[in-house]
Amino acid sequence: MGRTSGLGDSAIAEAGPRPSADTWLPPTAPKEKTSHHQSNSRFPKQLLASLLILLLLLAISFFIAFIIFFQRWSQLIKEKKNPKEVFHEKLICEKTHLNVEGKSWGCCPENWMISNTSCYFISSEAKTWTESKKNCTGMQALLLVINAKEEQLLIIQKLNRNSAYYVGLSDPEGMHQWQRVDQSPYNRSVTFWHPYEPSNYKEHCVFINFRQGNWGWNDASCDVPQKSICKMMKIYL
Ligand SMILES: *[C@@H]1O[C@H](CO)[C@@H](O)[C@H](O)[C@H]1NC(C)=O
Ligand SMILES: *[C@@H]1O[C@H](CO)[C@@H](O)[C@H](O)[C@H]1NC(C)=O
Ligand SMILES: *[C@@H]1O[C@H](CO)[C@@H](O)[C@H](O)[C@H]1NC(C)=O
């Protein structure tokens, strides 16, 4: 009895822990594991989702900011551009020794004449003085105002001796109070009138023409269509 009971005890004792270990350990361990797994996987999923949303929002705001920045920047570039540069699409440039504002290229529109500092357009379409003046301002230029003997000598090389060309000088009052279209003061010592000109108080405008072997200025009626010359400062790039 004692043996059997002992055996039985031992058998029970041995058998006891086995089932208990089988029944106890697996439920507790997996339970804990699964609960940990659930909380661990739920948390990152929410975190990941919010991170993704945050990233998406960031990306969108960066994109919008970039577009706004690009628009402002291109607008700035446009504003910074010389209106002459915007108006005249094709420019002919040459390296300049003047280096204006740190810019070393002096440019003139295509088909314009280039000098040291200016560009000249010789219009062969005959127009009244007022229309000629408008034509120049329409091209971001002014009717020619001659400032020096050298300038006049340069211009006349390109002119036709049988034509007259309006310049930016007029006398609206008819009192020989000559006004220059660039608003600079009229200086009697820097004028190139033909001999005995100006001659007629009824002629309020001025053209340059060839007479008796010389190019010179002449007062003329503003309404007679003539050719004309426009002048603008070089465009520096
Ligand atoms: C252009 O510049 C040169 C050298 O500086 C000078 O000799 C010449 O007179 C200038 N031409 C005009 C038309 O101003
Ligand atoms: C000025 O006249 C010229 C022709 O002489 C023409 O080509 C040009 O388009 C005119 N410009 C304006 C602004 O009217
Ligand atoms: C007129 O031009 C001459 C020669 O360039 C100059 O010496 C004089 O100071 C000028 N006069 C005025 C009032 O600008």
Side-chain angles (χ1 to χ4, degrees), residues 160-179:
N160 182 333
R161 288 185 175 187
N162 300 315
S163 297
Y165 300 82
Y166 278 128
V167 294
L169 205 56
S170 70
D171 170 33
E173 313 284 316
M175 305 290 289
H176 286 182
Q177 298 292 308
W178 298 103
Q179 292 181 9

Side-chain angles (χ1 to χ4, degrees), residues 147 185-190:
N147 286 317
Y186 175 77
N187 184 339
R188 196 181 288 269
S189 64
V190 195

Side-chain angles (χ1 to χ4, degrees), residues 8-236:
D9 277 355
S10 69
I12 289 162
E14 271 181 51
R18 261 184 209 161
S20 72
D22 282 346
T23 50
W24 276 97
L25 280 170
T28 48
K31 253 185 198 172
E32 274 177 25
K33 270 186 187 173
T34 47
S35 69
H36 267 293
H37 259 299
Q38 274 174 352
S39 68
N40 272 353
S41 61
R42 239 182 239 163
F43 197 53
K45 257 181 199 166
Q46 286 170 346
L47 200 73
L48 212 73
S50 41
L51 264 173
L52 272 174
I53 290 168
L54 198 75
L55 271 174
L56 200 73
L57 285 174
L58 264 172
I60 290 169
S61 47
F62 264 115
F63 187 67
I64 291 169
F66 176 76
I67 286 175
I68 291 170
F69 171 78
F70 183 77
Q71 279 177 341
R72 290 264 164 84
W73 178 71
S74 50
Q75 209 176 341
L76 262 177
I77 292 285
K78 253 189 193 172
E79 280 166 12
K80 239 184 146 185
K81 261 195 174 178
N82 194 317
K84 292 175 196 168
E85 201 185 327
V86 175
F87 183 79
H88 298 284
E89 289 190 338
K90 278 194 180 169
L91 298 176
I92 308 296
C93 301
E94 44 185 46
K95 204 115 182 146
T96 172
H97 56 284
L98 290 168
N99 219 339
V100 177
E101 292 167 17
K103 295 166 179 175
S104 49
W105 292 94
C107 307
C108 286
E110 197 184 29
N111 301 324
W112 287 50
M113 192 184 138
I114 305 176
S115 83
N116 284 356
T117 55
S118 305
C119 313
Y120 304 91
F121 180 75
I122 296 157
S123 173
S124 47
E125 240 174 64
K127 294 184 179 74
T128 66
W129 186 85
T130 307
E131 280 170 0
S132 301
K133 187 180 155 198
K134 268 191 206 158
N135 180 268
C136 292
T137 52
M139 295 188 288
Q140 311 287 320
L142 285 176
L143 208 49
L144 172 66
V145 171
I146 294 170
N147 286 317
K149 186 82 189 165
E150 298 78 47
E151 191 175 25
Q152 170 138 328
L153 290 175
L154 189 80
I155 296 291
I156 59 169
Q157 293 171 20
K158 305 281 178 182
L159 305 183
N160 182 333
R161 288 185 175 187
N162 300 315
S163 297
Y165 300 82
Y166 278 128
V167 294
L169 205 56
S170 70
D171 170 33
E173 313 284 316
M175 305 290 289
H176 286 182
Q177 298 292 308
W178 298 103
Q179 292 181 9
R180 292 152 60 106
V181 292
D182 66 353
Q183 313 290 333
S184 63
Y186 175 77
N187 184 339
R188 196 181 288 269
S189 64
V190 195
T191 59
F192 308 100
W193 295 104
H194 278 299
Y196 312 112
E197 301 292 348
S199 60
N200 192 331
Y201 283 91
K202 285 179 183 166
E203 297 176 334
H204 303 308
C205 291
V206 177
F207 61 55
I208 182 171
N209 69 345
F210 190 79
R211 184 207 281 181
Q212 291 159 355
N214 283 301
W215 283 96
W217 302 357
N218 190 8
D219 55 346
S221 165
C222 302
D223 299 326
V224 178
Q226 305 286 1
K227 295 176 180 177
S228 57
I229 308 161
C230 304
K231 173 185 177 180
M232 67 159 79
M233 278 285 291
K234 265 187 183 172
I235 303 158
Y236 290 98

